[in-house]
Amino acid sequence: NNCVIVVTSDHGIAPIPEQVRKISPRSQAGRISSGEIKKMATGMLDTVFAKPPAGKQWLNQVIESDLYINREVLAAKNISLEAATAVLNDSLAHTGPFAGAYTRAQLGHEAFPDRMGKQFQNSFNGQRSGDIIFLLRPFHIMSGDSAGTNHGQPYDYDTHVPMMFLGANFKPGIYRGEASPVDIAPTLSEILQI
């Protein structure tokens, strides 16, 4: 009677793209590496603004779904961050494995009517997030490997996790209402009356 056990996960996982295509050959599932994304984004910026100065790159890095634009290149070419992110935002949203993109300015200031935009906005950190945060199409993953899977996109398969409470204070059953791991602490606080 004095024991409570809670089991959950911090994230789901995307299905393996090759397995998705094997089951459903018409599926657009796939994988893309950060290097490929960097090359695509660089090509988009080169097309609009021409190549950066010798030895410089448009992007400092690609980390997960975040693109970080090189501020030195912007200054050298007299291009605003807003102009560069607008090019990437418009271009990525209509290219290959991408389903959309959000700029730093959008995530910091706009209200999003759609669930995906809200999820990206909730994850946005003005001090650490990239200048562009992109959304891959369903069943696409970021991976430089030819096997395995990844996580980090806001689709149901990647965001839904199990949550089980075991103990005398809980009525056995399956509850299908919306809940989140952030509900664990208040639930336990209620049981412990703290």
Side-chain angles (χ1 to χ4, degrees), residues 132-153:
I132 290 283
I133 294 91
F134 59 83
L135 171 66
L136 293 174
R137 292 189 188 283
F139 305 109
H140 280 76
I141 61 170
M142 267 196 66
S143 172
D145 298 328
S146 60
T149 188
N150 201 347
H151 63 90
Q153 294 293 309

Side-chain angles (χ1 to χ4, degrees), residues 9-88:
S9 173
D10 67 336
H11 59 78
I13 197 80
I16 297 171
E18 294 77 13
Q19 193 65 26
V20 171
R21 287 196 311 268
K22 185 176 179 181
I23 294 168
S24 179
R26 291 183 163 186
S27 170
Q28 296 297 312
R31 56 180 75 236
I32 187 165
S33 71
S34 59
E36 291 170 305
I37 292 169
K38 191 171 185 178
K39 184 177 179 180
M40 289 173 76
T42 296
M44 292 167 187
L45 293 168
D46 283 348
T47 299
V48 175
F49 301 115
K51 293 190 180 295
K56 300 289 183 182
Q57 295 183 8
W58 281 112
L59 300 177
N60 285 328
Q61 54 190 337
V62 177
I63 300 176
E64 298 297 332
S65 296
D66 294 56
L67 303 179
Y68 295 84
I69 298 174
N70 186 336
R71 301 300 200 279
E72 288 180 23
V73 169
L74 294 179
K77 294 181 73 63
N78 198 27
I79 298 168
S80 70
L81 177 61
E82 292 74 21
T85 57
V87 166
L88 291 174

Side-chain angles (χ1 to χ4, degrees), residues 66-131:
D66 294 56
L67 303 179
Y68 295 84
I69 298 174
N70 186 336
R71 301 300 200 279
E72 288 180 23
V73 169
L74 294 179
K77 294 181 73 63
N78 198 27
I79 298 168
S80 70
L81 177 61
E82 292 74 21
T85 57
V87 166
L88 291 174
N89 188 38
D90 293 342
S91 300
L92 289 175
H94 301 87
T95 304
F98 302 100
Y102 302 95
T103 68
R104 164 175 286 284
Q106 287 175 314
L107 293 171
H109 304 293
E110 291 183 19
F112 290 94
D114 65 310
R115 185 178 131 241
M116 296 291 185
K118 287 178 183 173
Q119 285 181 292
F120 273 83
Q121 195 165 42
N122 288 340
S123 297
F124 178 73
N125 179 316
Q127 295 177 343
R128 298 179 4 173
S129 293
D131 299 307

Side-chain angles (χ1 to χ4, degrees), residues 140-180:
H140 280 76
I141 61 170
M142 267 196 66
S143 172
D145 298 328
S146 60
T149 188
N150 201 347
H151 63 90
Q153 294 293 309
Y155 297 109
D156 288 346
Y157 57 74
D158 208 350
T159 59
H160 286 169
V161 296
M163 189 161 51
M164 296 180 285
F165 291 87
L166 306 157
N169 299 76
F170 300 102
K171 181 180 173 188
I174 296 174
Y175 301 88
R176 299 195 186 279
E178 190 168 324
S180 168

